[in-house]
Amino acid sequence: MPKINVLDKTLADMIAAGEVVERPSSAVKELVENALDAGAKNITVEIRNGGMSYIRVADDGCGIAREDCPTAFLRHATSKIARPEDLAAIYTLGFRGEALASIAAVARVELFTKTKEESIGTTVTVEGGEVLECTDAGCPNGTTVVVRNLFFNTPARMKFLKSDAAEAGHVTDVINKMILQNPAVSFKLINGGRQVAFSPGDGKLLSAVRAVWGKDWAADMIEVDYTDEIAHVHGLAGNFSLARRDRRQQVFYVNGRNIVSPLLSAALSEAYQNTMMVGKHPVAVLNIELNAALVDVNVHPTKMEVRFSEEKKVYSALYWAVKNALSVKKHIPEVRESARREAAPTPVSLPKEEKRPVTPPPSRPTPTSPPLPKQEGEQINLLKDAYVQSKPRITMERLSGADAPTAFHQSAPKPYQTGEDAFVHTAPPAPKAEEKPVQTEAVSTTPRAGVDFALIGQAFATYILIQQGNDLLLIDQHAAHERLYFEQFKKEFEQKTISPQLLMLPVTVKLDPVAFQAAVENKELFADLGFELDVFGETDIIIRTTPVMLDDGQIASAVEDIAGAILSHKKAVTPELFEHALHTVACKRALKGNSVLTREEMEHLAERVLALPDANTCPHGRPITIKMSRGYLEKQFKRIV
């Protein structure tokens, strides 16, 4: 049997260092956090070869007293905590006393420091964890740490590092997070003698965003400031036009500490529900301030993970903070001089997505309906001219009010046109004798529902063009109609006033076995939405009622989509699932693109859409309206320069 040995100090320190210093960016993060804890207002980071051969972090903080310099490199030596009770109230970034010791264990380190009370500074040289020298030095107030030949004594770790460019990218990523975390601190990053990042340190988060992601991103950020019983949430959230393919541009801080949190990411996504394109993720820089006793930061040596003692309350605080900020002003994306790049200049890394916590909705009574015939293989007499029975139904003609869609005729789609016919002007069919001809040019209109605009016409039988002030607005008629339907359906669903329409001619829908089982097991959910269904075979179901007028193909497609949504939610009935189902019905019923509209229909649709208080996306997140300013157009035509 192998003998149990106690590891010597050097080997133990090298092993422990691996938990804190995984790559050059880890060392940079620890050193910058120390500088911030020291009250620095200006921090310069310089690296060479991705930080593997050289790292220098200089700050103008309080410095380290001469007598404390050798002690600073001992493991578990810290000025942040002294008693066990201090772990329950940690507001500093560092507290474990491992950073300098871990870095010094796997590198050659020089420290230069001076406090404002001292007349001369101190320099300490450490190699492989051993203090070699501690002498006087001439240096400014603050601290400078130089790290050379990282992992020189742990060649196995070197094998797992990437190229110089890749490691430099990780360092830049760390500095960008620090910039967003500390807008009142000026940062400078130098890579190979070239400045690659700089922030002014003017205390404005918008300036920090501009420094990290560029001015176009900053222009599309919305201020967030919310306080409830447990937390103060503040920062910036991007509007829907900044939607990304992943969550790398979601940056969260808890009491000023950058963390990764599936809980907070889930709350953020929930706040953007119905305003973000499906498959896209929002952008945000948010700081959650709460009592330190409610958060455990001593979870991992890297301090990137935390635990909340009140998870539901923290989730709710961030959700409402962002939700309220998004509802303040409706965002209409504007065509600008230069297109925004798809990827951010410097991505921020986050872990893989996890399923977000959700709270089941309150139970809803199932609408009463006549008994269903229940013999398998029941025969239905197909009547070609059968119509819906005269039961109260939700139709476009029945809906009214400021938030209701209008009744549209469904014109036969025209083939795609080019040239002059590609733009359909607002000239309607020949007017009746008693009616006045409709003018073909844009005319002034009186305010409608508090919205004033001038109708121009319809392009490609899909987009409505209007003039509003000095802006030209283009409205996607399908997205607009879908949003209006969704708002109406959602209102009726919440008020439990959906009136299912009994079909005289039931519709049979064939599903795959898995989707069939999901639909049968969730008949109550379908009933809440206005669909009454019953088993009609091994994989067939019969639909006897629908929430709105849909043709057979639309009914089958809607049922298939809802069953698919149930499966994607692992059969859990959630608010998101109900909203997905309402999206589906609204999309199926809404006016389609490539449909020619009359002038009155266009005006009515534009009026209702512009009157929406805060929504400018369809339920799937596509924009309803975009705009071009008069100035932009005049620049394109060289009227102004």
Side-chain angles (χ1 to χ4, degrees):
M1 179 180 293
K3 184 179 180 181
I4 298 177
N5 298 310
V6 177
L7 298 178
D8 63 58
K9 178 180 179 299
T10 301
L11 181 55
D13 287 348
M14 292 170 62
I15 294 172
E19 296 180 337
V20 178
V21 186
E22 298 175 349
R23 59 195 333 147
S25 60
S26 304
V28 170
K29 173 181 177 293
E30 296 294 342
L31 294 175
V32 172
E33 286 184 347
N34 281 347
L36 292 168
D37 282 340
K41 294 301 179 184
N42 295 277
I43 299 175
T44 299
V45 178
E46 182 179 0
I47 61 172
R48 299 172 193 163
N49 302 111
M52 289 183 283
S53 66
Y54 183 85
I55 297 172
R56 180 175 68 90
V57 177
D59 68 67
D60 59 355
C62 65
I64 304 173
R66 174 68 174 268
E67 60 271 19
D68 290 336
C69 286
T71 308
F73 288 92
L74 298 178
R75 188 163 300 281
H76 308 306
T78 179
S79 62
K80 315 301 172 53
I81 61 174
R83 302 169 302 169
E85 306 86 75
D86 294 339
L87 286 173
I90 296 175
Y91 289 96
T92 55
L93 298 176
F95 62 91
R96 297 172 64 96
E98 293 183 304
L100 283 178
S102 295
I103 295 170
V106 292
R108 297 181 174 94
V109 178
E110 291 177 279
L111 179 143
F112 303 87
T113 185
K114 177 181 175 296
T115 66
K116 65 180 181 179
E117 294 81 13
E118 295 174 327
S119 59
I120 192 168
T122 304
T123 178
V124 181
T125 303
V126 186
E127 182 174 320
E130 296 295 329
V131 177
L132 304 180
E133 186 179 23
C134 180
T135 62
D136 293 343
C139 55
N141 293 343
T143 301
T144 297
V145 180
V146 178
V147 180
R148 291 185 171 89
N149 301 327
L150 191 63
F151 303 128
F152 79 97
N153 55 353
T154 53
R157 178 59 58 89
M158 294 285 291
K159 296 178 181 179
F160 292 93
L161 297 180
K162 306 299 182 182
S163 66
D164 290 0
E167 295 301 330
H170 286 291
V171 173
T172 304
D173 187 29
V174 166
I175 296 303
N176 284 336
K177 290 178 183 178
M178 296 295 181
I179 290 173
L180 295 172
Q181 173 185 350
N182 303 276
V185 178
S186 177
F187 287 87
K188 183 187 296 183
L189 173 61
I190 300 170
N191 180 15
R194 184 174 63 89
Q195 181 174 298
V196 296
F198 174 78
S199 66
D202 59 5
K204 300 176 181 177
L205 182 55
L206 207 57
S207 297
V209 169
R210 191 177 292 112
V212 174
W213 290 329
K215 63 179 182 179
D216 285 347
W217 283 58
D220 285 330
M221 301 297 280
I222 301 167
E223 185 176 358
V224 176
D225 194 348
Y226 173 85
T227 302
D228 66 5
E229 62 181 274
I230 191 173
H232 175 209
V233 182
H234 58 94
L236 296 171
N239 57 47
F240 70 86
S241 63
L242 285 180
R244 317 310 298 160
R245 292 173 179 165
D246 52 49
R247 300 180 188 270
R248 290 180 299 164
Q249 278 72 49
Q250 295 179 7
V251 188
F252 301 107
Y253 304 96
V254 172
N255 293 337
R257 181 190 307 279
N258 178 227
I259 67 164
V260 290
S261 172
L263 176 80
L264 299 181
S265 188
L268 180 66
S269 295
E270 190 71 21
Y272 278 84
Q273 191 70 25
N274 304 326
T275 63
M276 189 66 64
M277 191 77 176
V278 174
K280 297 286 188 177
H281 303 284
V283 171
V285 181
L286 297 171
N287 190 9
I288 299 92
E289 295 179 359
L290 69 166
N291 191 313
L294 300 177
V295 55
D296 180 7
V297 300
N298 191 25
V299 176
H300 191 274
T302 63
K303 304 183 292 290
M304 290 294 293
E305 301 175 24
V306 300
R307 293 194 184 102
F308 300 105
S309 61
E310 298 280 359
E311 285 193 346
K312 290 184 178 179
K313 291 183 178 180
V314 173
Y315 181 98
S316 177
L318 189 139
Y319 169 83
W320 285 113
V322 177
K323 190 76 171 178
N324 291 346
L326 294 176
S327 66
V328 170
K329 183 179 179 181
K330 179 162 67 175
H331 168 68
I332 298 179
E334 182 175 358
V335 178
R336 295 174 180 159
E337 288 294 326
S338 59
R340 182 182 294 107
R341 289 177 292 178
E342 176 62 21
T346 48
V348 177
S349 302
L350 282 179
K352 294 181 180 179
E353 299 177 24
E354 295 185 18
K355 189 177 186 299
R356 64 170 174 250
V358 288
T359 304
S363 58
R364 299 177 175 85
T366 304
T368 54
S369 54
L372 298 173
K374 319 327 156 203
Q375 292 187 359
E376 189 173 335
E378 173 189 23
Q379 298 298 314
I380 299 178
N381 182 21
L382 302 178
L383 303 176
K384 292 184 179 179
D385 298 324
Y387 291 93
V388 178
Q389 291 183 350
S390 57
K391 185 176 180 178
R393 53 181 188 166
I394 298 177
T395 64
M396 299 306 291
E397 292 79 4
R398 181 171 78 81
L399 297 173
S400 61
D403 60 346
T406 183
F408 288 95
H409 68 274
Q410 294 285 342
S411 305
K414 290 188 174 183
Y416 183 80
Q417 298 172 327
T418 58
E420 294 183 0
D421 291 337
F423 182 87
V424 181
H425 205 277
T426 55
K432 297 179 182 179
E434 65 275 13
E435 295 179 341
K436 293 183 179 181
V438 178
Q439 298 180 8
T440 57
E441 61 275 353
V443 294
S444 299
T445 59
T446 56
R448 314 168 182 83
V451 180
D452 193 12
F453 63 88
L455 178 67
I456 298 174
Q458 186 183 29
F460 311 115
T462 300
Y463 306 102
I464 300 170
L465 280 67
I466 64 173
Q467 177 184 331
Q468 190 175 46
N470 284 322
D471 293 323
L472 172 65
L473 273 62
L474 291 81
I475 300 174
D476 183 324
Q477 63 194 37
H478 172 71
H481 209 205
E482 183 180 351
R483 166 57 72 173
L484 292 170
Y485 257 127
F486 173 73
E487 294 297 331
Q488 183 72 13
F489 293 161
K490 185 177 179 182
K491 180 179 179 181
E492 293 184 346
F493 178 76
E494 292 172 347
Q495 296 177 351
K496 303 176 184 178
T497 58
I498 290 181
S499 301
Q501 301 175 76
L502 183 62
L503 302 175
M504 180 173 287
L505 180 63
V507 175
T508 304
V509 179
K510 186 175 184 63
L511 300 170
D512 65 75
V514 178
F516 170 80
Q517 191 63 29
V520 172
E521 291 177 356
N522 289 272
K523 289 173 62 175
E524 205 172 294
L525 182 151
F526 278 93
D528 285 348
L529 297 169
F531 290 95
E532 185 178 326
L533 60 86
D534 190 36
V535 176
F536 187 58
E538 292 185 359
T539 58
D540 294 349
I541 60 173
I542 283 182
I543 303 299
R544 301 186 180 280
T545 68
T546 59
V548 291
M549 284 293 294
L550 300 169
D551 61 34
D552 290 4
Q554 291 174 328
I555 292 173
S557 179
V559 171
E560 291 170 357
D561 286 352
I562 295 171
I566 294 172
L567 291 172
S568 67
H569 286 75
K570 298 181 180 179
K571 301 183 181 181
V573 178
T574 67
E576 183 183 12
L577 177 56
F578 278 103
E579 290 201 346
H580 181 102
L582 295 174
H583 296 174
T584 299
V585 178
C587 183
K588 303 301 180 186
R589 184 64 183 91
L591 173 74
K592 301 299 184 288
N594 203 26
S595 298
V596 179
L597 307 181
T598 67
R599 182 182 186 85
E600 290 74 17
E601 290 170 341
M602 286 186 279
E603 285 185 336
H604 192 69
L605 182 56
E607 173 189 349
R608 296 294 181 238
V609 167
L610 294 178
L612 286 173
D614 54 19
N616 187 49
T617 62
C618 74
H620 298 96
R622 290 195 302 110
I624 294 172
T625 307
I626 62 173
K627 68 181 177 182
M628 287 185 285
S629 67
R630 178 175 179 174
Y632 173 82
L633 290 172
E634 290 182 340
K635 283 185 179 180
Q636 304 312 303
F637 286 104
K638 310 302 180 185
R639 286 180 170 269
I640 60 175
V641 293

